[in-house]
């Protein structure tokens, strides 16, 4: 049993992670400033022994009394629609926020677990993407504030490891979906499912031939916990390596929801990666982990969640 600080603990991934940590007997200190996270996501955790919540912005000085075994740093708006809305907050949380969390880890002698992203690979020219790939990132494009903040976070994490001997983990999270996603999150899975449930056409950006590889949230969390429990200190891809086009994703959602509204095509956003799929060799070898939930099954569970949440 450990005492673990989860930053961004009221967000989609964070709240699923808090639940999983409590279920395995860990004590959780959930930090969130509720910019994109929501108290609703952690409502049912408040009564649990071992859970506490603190409304703090990690870009300011952090105050966590008592011992801490690990800091899992998930705090960051992560949807492309947030990139244009709150770019400065995104850069601050990935720079000042990561710096403060590393300082806290150092002060507490805690392991620092950094949530990085497949976005560090940008619009990848190598496919699938192994951790050794340096990426193809536009440093001043519409996604740069997120991509560069996460790349900075990785570099700072490794600098703290080398200079201060901090025990670190770096997970590169690939597209993840499932219950506790925001219905208005703006990402493709939440958009398609909520549109289909509301009888609206699914908005396919571009011609829909771009690909992503979607990981169900329970797989993502299991992978991250396997990494935390390991002693592997270099970046690890965690995601699903079965790849789909956005048109294929739309077909699944239409089929599951019996939607008859069809699809509409909208312009492809600038710098939208054309393909993305993790090479999971390191995760398999170092963590003995691989994803289990097929897309169809995960979409069915997520559709059920959104239908209940939206009262449809
Ligand atoms: N996308 C889409 N329709 C939407 C939202 C997104 O076709 O309503 C596409 C988007 O252009 C991208 C893919 O779906 O190619 C995944 O987008 P998302 O925002 O979920 O995540 P990303 O992987 O781009 O960060």
């Amino acid at each position: 049993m450990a005492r673990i600080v989860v930053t961004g603990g009221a967000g989609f991934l964070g709240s699923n992670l808090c639940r999983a940590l409590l279920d395995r007997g860990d004590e959780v200190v959930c930090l969130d400033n509720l910019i994109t996270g929501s108290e609703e996501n952690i409502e049912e955790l408040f009564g649990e022994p071992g859970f506490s919540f603190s409304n703090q912005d990690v870009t300011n000085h952090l105050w966590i009394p008592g011992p801490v075994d690990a800091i899992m740093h998930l705090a960051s708006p992560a949807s492309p629609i947030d990139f244009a809305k709150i770019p400065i907050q995104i850069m601050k949380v990935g720079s000042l926020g990561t710096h403060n969390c590393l300082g806290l880890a150092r002060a507490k002698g805690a392991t620092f677990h950094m949530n990085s992203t497949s976005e560090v690979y940008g619009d990848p020219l190598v496919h699938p993407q192994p951790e050794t790939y340096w990426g193809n990132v536009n440093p001043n494009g519409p996604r740069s504030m997120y991509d560069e903040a996460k790349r900075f976070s990785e570099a700072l994490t490794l600098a703290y490891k080398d200079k201060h001997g901090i025990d670190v983990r770096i997970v590169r999270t690939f597209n993840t979906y499932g219950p506790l996603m925001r219905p208005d999150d703006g990402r493709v899975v939440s958009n398609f499912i909520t549109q289909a449930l509301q009888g609206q056409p699914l908005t396919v950006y571009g011609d829909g031939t771009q690909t992503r590889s979607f990981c169900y949230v329970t797989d993502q969390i299991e992978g991250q916990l396997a990494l935390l429990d390991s002693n592997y200190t270099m970046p690890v891809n965690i995601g699903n390596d079965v790849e789909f086009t956005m048109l294929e994703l739309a077909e699944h959602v239409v089929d599951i929801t019996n939607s008859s509204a069809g699809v509409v095509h909208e312009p492809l956003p600038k710098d939208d990666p054309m393909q993305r799929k993790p090479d999971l060799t390191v995760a398999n070898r170092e963590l003995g982990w691989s994803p289990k939930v097929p897309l169809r099954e995960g979409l069915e569970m997520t559709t059920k969640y959104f239908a209940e949440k939206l009262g449809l």
Side-chain angles (χ1 to χ4, degrees):
M1 181 185 153
R3 185 162 189 256
I4 299 182
V5 172
V6 178
T7 78
F12 160 52
L13 274 186
S15 53
N16 277 285
L17 177 64
C18 288
R19 158 56 64 205
L21 289 168
L22 291 169
D23 284 351
R24 71 182 206 166
D26 290 324
E27 199 178 316
V28 173
V29 181
C30 169
L31 298 192
D32 208 298
N33 66 353
L34 304 175
I35 284 193
T36 53
S38 129
E39 263 175 335
E40 260 177 58
N41 283 350
I42 50 170
E43 217 167 32
E44 61 169 43
L45 305 182
F46 275 97
E48 302 243 349
F51 180 78
S52 61
F53 172 71
S54 176
N55 187 328
Q56 294 192 50
D57 178 342
V58 295
T59 67
N60 298 325
H61 181 76
L62 295 171
W63 171 244
I64 311 284
V68 173
D69 299 298
I71 297 158
M72 299 184 79
H73 181 38
L74 281 72
S76 178
S79 172
I81 57 162
D82 296 325
F83 299 171
K85 276 195 226 151
I86 42 175
I88 296 167
Q89 285 94 329
I90 292 173
M91 294 224 74
K92 282 175 75 179
V93 75
S95 52
L96 303 176
T98 301
H99 187 218
N100 286 336
C101 291
L102 278 160
L104 183 69
R106 189 175 175 212
K108 301 285 185 183
T111 296
F112 180 71
H113 176 111
M114 170 68 215
N115 249 257
S116 184
T117 169
S118 56
E119 282 282 329
V120 299
Y121 303 121
D123 189 0
L125 304 175
V126 169
H127 194 72
Q129 295 81 54
E131 289 85 350
T132 47
Y133 178 45
W134 291 0
N136 177 37
V137 172
N138 179 350
N140 45 39
R143 303 170 84 99
S144 61
M145 69 298 296
Y146 184 67
D147 302 8
E148 297 295 4
K150 290 292 188 181
R151 289 165 70 101
F152 174 92
S153 289
E154 287 197 11
L156 191 64
T157 299
L158 290 173
Y160 264 70
K161 171 184 169 243
D162 292 342
K163 280 287 159 197
H164 296 309
I166 305 283
D167 183 33
V168 302
R169 310 284 182 271
I170 299 174
V171 54
R172 290 187 179 152
T173 296
F174 280 65
N175 294 70
T176 299
Y177 69 100
L180 304 182
M181 265 188 126
R182 258 160 51 203
D184 62 349
D185 167 276
R187 277 182 282 197
V188 68
V189 173
S190 42
N191 274 7
F192 281 3
I193 294 178
T194 55
Q195 288 160 348
L197 287 173
Q198 290 165 340
Q200 297 162 1
L202 279 56
T203 52
V204 173
Y205 299 165
D207 64 6
T209 57
Q210 71 273 33
T211 69
R212 295 293 187 273
S213 309
F214 297 102
C215 183
Y216 191 64
V217 65
T218 51
D219 281 336
Q220 178 65 231
I221 298 299
E222 269 175 31
Q224 295 212 12
L225 292 180
L227 176 62
L228 178 70
D229 294 342
S230 77
N231 51 19
Y232 190 77
T233 58
M234 291 304 285
V236 182
N237 291 337
I238 298 287
N240 193 304
D241 56 359
V242 184
E243 189 178 6
F244 293 87
T245 66
M246 295 312 101
L247 285 175
E248 288 168 337
L249 176 71
E251 273 170 33
H252 277 294
V253 172
V254 163
D255 199 43
I256 290 167
T257 56
N258 288 319
S259 162
S260 53
V263 304
V264 285
H265 287 269
E266 293 189 359
L268 188 67
K270 184 171 180 296
D271 291 350
D272 196 292
M274 273 315 291
Q275 53 182 0
R276 184 182 289 153
K277 170 164 108 152
D279 180 327
L280 296 178
T281 310
V282 174
N284 296 162
R285 186 188 65 223
E286 297 293 332
L287 314 178
W289 172 89
S290 52
K292 298 187 202 80
V293 181
L295 181 68
R296 179 72 184 208
E297 202 179 300
L299 287 176
E300 283 167 3
M301 293 188 279
T302 309
T303 302
K304 191 162 173 275
Y305 166 76
F306 279 127
E308 277 165 20
K309 174 123 187 141
L310 300 172
L312 296 167

